[in-house]
Amino acid sequence: MIDAETRTPASAFASRLAAKAGALAEARGENTLRQRARDPWRWRYASLLWPLFSKG
Protein backbone atom coordinates (compact mmCIF):
# COMPACT_ATOMS: atom_id res chain seq x y z
CA MET A 1 0.00 0.00 0.00
CA ILE A 2 1.24 3.49 -0.81
CA ASP A 3 1.43 5.97 2.04
CA ALA A 4 1.87 9.66 1.29
CA GLU A 5 2.49 12.64 3.50
CA THR A 6 1.96 16.28 2.62
CA ARG A 7 3.65 19.31 4.08
CA THR A 8 0.75 21.65 3.41
CA PRO A 9 -2.78 21.18 4.65
CA ALA A 10 -5.50 20.05 2.27
CA SER A 11 -7.23 23.41 2.62
CA ALA A 12 -4.24 25.13 0.97
CA PHE A 13 -4.52 22.80 -1.99
CA ALA A 14 -8.26 23.42 -2.24
CA SER A 15 -7.81 27.19 -2.13
CA ARG A 16 -5.16 27.10 -4.89
CA LEU A 17 -7.43 24.90 -6.99
CA ALA A 18 -10.36 27.28 -6.43
CA ALA A 19 -8.22 30.27 -7.44
CA LYS A 20 -7.24 28.52 -10.69
CA ALA A 21 -10.86 27.62 -11.39
CA GLY A 22 -11.85 31.25 -10.82
CA ALA A 23 -9.19 32.49 -13.24
CA LEU A 24 -10.36 30.01 -15.88
CA ALA A 25 -14.00 30.99 -15.42
CA GLU A 26 -13.20 34.69 -15.66
CA ALA A 27 -11.18 34.21 -18.87
CA ARG A 28 -13.91 32.02 -20.34
CA GLY A 29 -16.54 34.67 -19.62
CA GLU A 30 -14.52 37.48 -21.15
CA ASN A 31 -13.65 35.37 -24.17
CA THR A 32 -17.34 34.55 -24.69
CA LEU A 33 -18.30 38.23 -24.57
CA ARG A 34 -15.55 39.13 -27.05
CA GLN A 35 -16.58 36.25 -29.31
CA ARG A 36 -20.20 37.43 -29.39
CA ALA A 37 -19.00 40.95 -30.22
CA ARG A 38 -16.87 39.42 -33.01
CA ASP A 39 -13.74 41.02 -31.60
CA PRO A 40 -10.78 39.63 -33.58
CA TRP A 41 -8.32 41.03 -31.02
CA ARG A 42 -9.34 38.47 -28.42
CA TRP A 43 -6.65 36.18 -29.83
CA ARG A 44 -4.00 38.78 -28.98
CA TYR A 45 -4.56 38.74 -25.22
CA ALA A 46 -2.36 36.27 -23.36
CA SER A 47 -4.68 36.44 -20.36
CA LEU A 48 -7.44 34.94 -22.49
CA LEU A 49 -5.30 32.34 -24.23
CA TRP A 50 -3.37 31.16 -21.19
CA PRO A 51 -5.26 32.38 -18.12
CA LEU A 52 -3.27 30.24 -15.68
CA PHE A 53 0.13 31.45 -16.89
CA SER A 54 -0.45 35.18 -17.34
CA LYS A 55 -0.10 37.77 -14.61
CA GLY A 56 -3.20 39.82 -13.99
Side-chain angles (χ1 to χ4, degrees), residues 1-5:
M1 181 165 172
I2 299 174
D3 188 27
E5 294 181 20

Side-chain angles (χ1 to χ4, degrees), residues 7-51:
R7 295 182 182 163
T8 59
S11 62
F13 172 72
S15 66
R16 287 193 316 267
L17 193 60
K20 286 183 179 184
L24 286 172
E26 186 178 329
R28 171 74 174 175
E30 186 175 347
N31 192 30
T32 300
L33 289 175
R34 289 179 182 268
Q35 183 179 10
R36 288 182 182 168
R38 299 185 188 273
D39 182 11
W41 286 95
R42 72 181 188 271
W43 300 109
R44 301 280 183 184
Y45 295 107
S47 62
L48 296 179
L49 294 173
W50 302 288

